[in-house]
Amino acid sequence: MRKITLFTLLWVFCLTVTNTYAQNNQTTINNAQEGDIFYHTVERGQTVYSIAKMYDVKVSDIYKLNIGSDEAIKAGDKLKIPQKSVTVKSIPKTDKEKDYIYHTIQARETLYGVSKQYGISGEGIIEANPGLSHETFSIGKTIRIPTDVKQKQTTEVVENKKGAKEVYYTVPEGETMYNMCRKFKTSEKELLKLNPELAGGLRTGMTLRIPLRINEKDLPKETEPDAGEVNAMLNAKKEIKRVNAAKIALLLPYDAENPKSTEAKKRITEYYEGMLLAVDTLRKQGYSTELFVYDIGDENSSKTKKLLQEKKEELKNVNLIIGGVSAEQIKLIADFAKQNQIKYVIPFDPKNDDVLDNAYIFQVNIPPAYLYANAACAGANLFARYNIIFLDTKDKEDQTDFIKEFKQELQNRNISYKDADYNAGNFDANIKSLLSTSKPNVIMPVSQSLEALTKIKTVLRSIAVTKPEYNLTLFGYPVWHTYSKECLDDFHALDTYIYSPFYADNINPSVKMFYDKYKNWYSKSPMPKFPKYAMLGFDTGMFFLSAIQNYGVNFENKLSEMHYKSIQTGFNFERVNNWGGFINTNIYIIHYNKDFTITRSDFK
């Protein structure tokens, strides 16, 4: 491997605890909207399971409140969600321990109005909902409300265990340590001793313990915020936090103590190799990167936990963490990233729940529900004027979930379709009886298997050649890319469309350049697997490293301005809710044209 001198490469084989103070007095908060429920408007790709996880309620409770939701839900449906009753302590808890209730934004509501309704500052609401903006504060959207009833109270005088009086002071916007020390006749050292959480910096909304050394009548008084100023918070521009060099931690499961070579390890190695090519490519464009690489062992989480403890101070200083494979590893890394406010990229796992309430997560692999929903929408767009036929060949690998989603999308749009069963003895005659000559025809096999394609492709290709008036098309699955050796000519002859989250066109100049550079650096070609992890590592590195360099460590505020042209993996990150992280929802529609060209189109 060629030596890389532009960044630091560290091979390592090997909670922040905030004190909270509670009082005995407690209050129970119930939902302000219809007593014990609020409403959730279903978005494309969401399931009852993901919605239940989002609000930490039981799937069965959603079923009980919404008749028919156990059969199907669709985008635009308004679901009743049970609002939990929570016990609220007067002194704020750590973010990890906080409880929330949920509020569905109504017509003509404002941030100021909601803050008044729940007795919490506008800053407190925005802090609890990192995705909240003028665009997302809209009718039907849900926001979470911290259940700390004391957040708006500026000061409260109490006696500590020794009988001395102290002030609980809620930090207002614009407050500084210097001003606070002068105001209360104390020192930074004393404040830090009483409030260890200040080691992470002073933040608006924090409630601090301060010795009472001034007359109580001179304590800061709460002033009623101006409605216009509160509402204007939704339009506030986010400052770009730039860095001279992007610091990236790559946490990969090499399990170096068990060097037995496996295919999985080879693919992980290729991912890392692709990442190195991205770093070098960006170096030539003037970007600086420091890459720290750590071995987190096999899928067991013990080594990951040990690493996060031993290398805590090193990892706290990085701008981005990438890695983790198993659910246990990902959970540990996700919690660490959240506690230390570090962006975290999950590159492999498409079924992660942490993204639903962790604003720092970027999930690269599109979850199946989002993949099916987007593919169904794309299919309905493409074939709205076609004669659509679902063909059941009675083979293995039936794509029941996708077919159900696709049919539901067609029904929602009042687009008709036909169902057909394959019979080898009279398939030619049967399929012809279902085809139309007045509009084009598209056939969607229910199974994604090669066996299913092999059964039907010869007959369909013959019909396409001898009966061009039928204008025949196929629509199929991501795995069909791997059938090119057996079916490529048939794909072109049948004007085939495939949906997929990955695709690399081998004759594309950028793809050819990647292959050449990869072989030059590593004296080998990437494994013939789909998707290619070397390309996944390259695309991930190019997207996120350039994002940090161009838009700072808070690049999430500029996602709409990022237009990276990938070689295999496209990116279209959407925040899952106003307080959660981001899921990549990009899919491609691949078209095998009859002139033997292939086109790749983004569907977002």
Side-chain angles (χ1 to χ4, degrees), residues 313-378:
E313 295 307 314
E314 286 182 17
L315 290 169
K316 282 173 62 176
N317 293 319
V318 303
N319 307 127
L320 186 74
I321 298 175
I322 303 174
V325 173
S326 69
E328 293 79 10
Q329 290 173 341
I330 291 171
K331 176 63 176 174
L332 288 169
I333 301 169
D335 287 345
F336 180 89
K338 186 175 183 179
Q339 290 160 12
N340 295 284
Q341 301 181 3
I342 303 168
K343 304 296 187 302
Y344 172 37
V345 176
I346 303 175
F348 310 118
D349 184 12
K351 299 179 180 180
N352 179 263
D353 294 332
D354 296 285
V355 70
L356 297 174
D357 67 353
N358 188 331
Y360 295 91
I361 288 179
F362 287 79
Q363 187 170 326
V364 170
N365 269 359
I366 182 171
Y370 284 84
L371 174 63
Y372 299 153
N374 284 358
C377 186

Side-chain angles (χ1 to χ4, degrees), residues 259-312:
K260 182 181 178 181
S261 179
T262 64
E263 182 176 300
K265 287 184 182 180
K266 289 179 180 178
R267 299 193 83 185
I268 292 296
T269 298
E270 287 195 357
Y271 180 86
Y272 167 60
E273 291 168 342
M275 183 73 66
L276 290 181
L277 295 185
V279 171
D280 185 67
T281 300
L282 290 170
R283 176 189 65 83
K284 293 176 179 177
Q285 297 176 16
Y287 297 160
S288 297
T289 304
E290 292 183 49
L291 187 63
F292 302 84
V293 185
Y294 302 87
D295 179 9
I296 57 173
D298 59 16
E299 294 187 359
N300 188 294
S301 62
S302 59
K303 195 165 186 177
T304 305
K305 187 174 183 179
K306 182 179 179 182
L307 173 70
L308 294 174
Q309 291 172 343
E310 293 181 349
K311 300 298 177 181
K312 177 179 178 180

Side-chain angles (χ1 to χ4, degrees), residues 406-422:
F406 193 10
K407 287 183 176 180
Q408 184 64 55
E409 183 70 25
L410 296 174
Q411 292 169 13
N412 294 344
R413 302 192 193 191
N414 294 318
I415 299 173
S416 62
Y417 58 84
K418 301 172 183 175
D419 288 303
D421 290 330
Y422 172 82

Side-chain angles (χ1 to χ4, degrees), residues 75-340:
D77 285 350
K78 183 183 286 188
L79 299 181
K80 295 177 181 178
I81 309 296
Q83 182 78 269
K84 297 187 300 181
S85 292
V86 295
T87 299
V88 183
K89 298 183 178 181
S90 296
I91 304 306
K93 298 182 282 184
T94 64
D95 183 68
K96 187 176 179 62
E97 296 173 321
K98 275 184 179 177
D99 287 316
Y100 299 92
I101 56 173
Y102 297 90
H103 176 86
T104 306
I105 299 170
Q106 307 297 310
R108 295 181 296 279
E109 270 192 330
T110 64
L111 178 61
Y112 175 77
V114 175
S115 73
K116 291 281 288 183
Q117 179 178 343
Y118 291 97
I120 183 173
S121 68
E123 294 95 336
I125 294 175
I126 290 176
E127 184 177 345
N129 299 273
L132 201 57
S133 67
H134 178 73
E135 289 75 23
T136 60
F137 192 93
S138 56
I139 299 173
K141 290 286 187 180
T142 306
I143 56 177
R144 64 181 188 176
I145 308 295
T147 55
D148 170 21
V149 296
K150 292 292 185 182
Q151 283 202 29
K152 282 193 67 179
Q153 183 170 319
T154 304
T155 58
E156 178 185 5
V157 178
V158 298
E159 284 190 5
N160 61 25
K161 293 179 180 180
K162 297 180 180 179
K165 287 188 175 182
E166 291 180 342
V167 176
Y168 282 110
Y169 176 65
T170 304
V171 179
E173 187 176 17
E175 183 65 281
T176 65
M177 287 287 289
Y178 175 77
N179 185 57
M180 200 161 46
C181 290
R182 289 189 59 192
K183 188 185 300 179
F184 290 102
K185 297 182 179 179
T186 185
S187 66
E188 289 190 22
K189 183 177 181 180
E190 188 172 35
L191 286 178
L192 185 60
K193 182 179 180 180
L194 289 172
N195 306 276
E197 64 268 31
L198 280 174
L202 184 68
R203 299 189 305 276
T204 300
M206 296 175 76
T207 298
L208 305 176
R209 291 174 62 198
I210 302 175
L212 181 62
R213 295 199 178 102
I214 60 176
N215 194 303
E216 290 188 34
K217 67 180 181 62
D218 296 323
L219 288 171
K221 304 299 182 184
E222 180 181 8
T223 57
E224 184 67 23
D226 178 78
E229 291 178 358
V230 173
N231 294 331
M233 293 176 186
L234 295 173
N235 293 311
K237 289 186 177 181
K238 305 291 175 61
E239 179 185 356
I240 298 177
K241 301 175 182 177
R242 297 196 179 278
V243 293
N244 293 324
K247 295 182 178 181
I248 313 301
L250 198 57
L251 278 58
L252 298 177
Y254 284 104
D255 193 16
E257 296 171 356
N258 178 19
K260 182 181 178 181
S261 179
T262 64
E263 182 176 300
K265 287 184 182 180
K266 289 179 180 178
R267 299 193 83 185
I268 292 296
T269 298
E270 287 195 357
Y271 180 86
Y272 167 60
E273 291 168 342
M275 183 73 66
L276 290 181
L277 295 185
V279 171
D280 185 67
T281 300
L282 290 170
R283 176 189 65 83
K284 293 176 179 177
Q285 297 176 16
Y287 297 160
S288 297
T289 304
E290 292 183 49
L291 187 63
F292 302 84
V293 185
Y294 302 87
D295 179 9
I296 57 173
D298 59 16
E299 294 187 359
N300 188 294
S301 62
S302 59
K303 195 165 186 177
T304 305
K305 187 174 183 179
K306 182 179 179 182
L307 173 70
L308 294 174
Q309 291 172 343
E310 293 181 349
K311 300 298 177 181
K312 177 179 178 180
E313 295 307 314
E314 286 182 17
L315 290 169
K316 282 173 62 176
N317 293 319
V318 303
N319 307 127
L320 186 74
I321 298 175
I322 303 174
V325 173
S326 69
E328 293 79 10
Q329 290 173 341
I330 291 171
K331 176 63 176 174
L332 288 169
I333 301 169
D335 287 345
F336 180 89
K338 186 175 183 179
Q339 290 160 12
N340 295 284

Side-chain angles (χ1 to χ4, degrees), residues 395-532:
D395 283 285
K396 61 182 180 180
E397 299 181 40
D398 280 3
Q399 297 300 289
T400 306
D401 290 341
F402 171 68
I403 296 299
K404 181 179 179 181
E405 185 76 33
F406 193 10
K407 287 183 176 180
Q408 184 64 55
E409 183 70 25
L410 296 174
Q411 292 169 13
N412 294 344
R413 302 192 193 191
N414 294 318
I415 299 173
S416 62
Y417 58 84
K418 301 172 183 175
D419 288 303
D421 290 330
Y422 172 82
N423 185 304
N426 57 0
F427 177 56
D428 182 86
N430 282 349
I431 199 69
K432 283 179 180 176
S433 69
L434 297 173
L435 297 177
S436 171
T437 55
S438 61
K439 56 183 178 180
N441 300 275
V442 60
I443 293 177
M444 175 96 240
V446 172
S447 168
Q448 67 174 0
S449 71
L450 180 59
E451 290 82 358
L453 262 180
T454 302
K455 284 180 179 180
I456 66 176
K457 67 186 181 70
T458 302
V459 171
L460 293 180
R461 185 170 177 177
S462 175
I463 294 173
V465 172
T466 61
K467 299 287 184 179
E469 63 269 24
Y470 284 130
N471 199 357
L472 201 55
T473 292
L474 268 182
F475 186 38
Y477 306 94
V479 72
W480 281 16
H481 295 310
T482 65
Y483 305 157
S484 293
K485 182 178 179 181
E486 299 87 353
C487 304
L488 184 59
D489 288 345
D490 301 296
F491 287 160
H492 286 293
L494 292 169
D495 198 35
T496 302
Y497 291 84
I498 296 175
Y499 74 85
S500 178
F502 306 100
Y503 181 72
D505 182 359
N506 290 335
I507 65 173
N508 181 282
S510 297
V511 175
K512 292 176 69 176
M513 187 180 302
F514 172 85
Y515 278 127
D516 290 343
K517 187 171 183 179
Y518 186 90
K519 192 165 187 178
N520 182 41
W521 275 44
Y522 305 116
S523 300
K524 63 177 182 177
S525 297
M527 295 171 64
K529 296 291 182 178
F530 177 79
K532 288 183 169 53

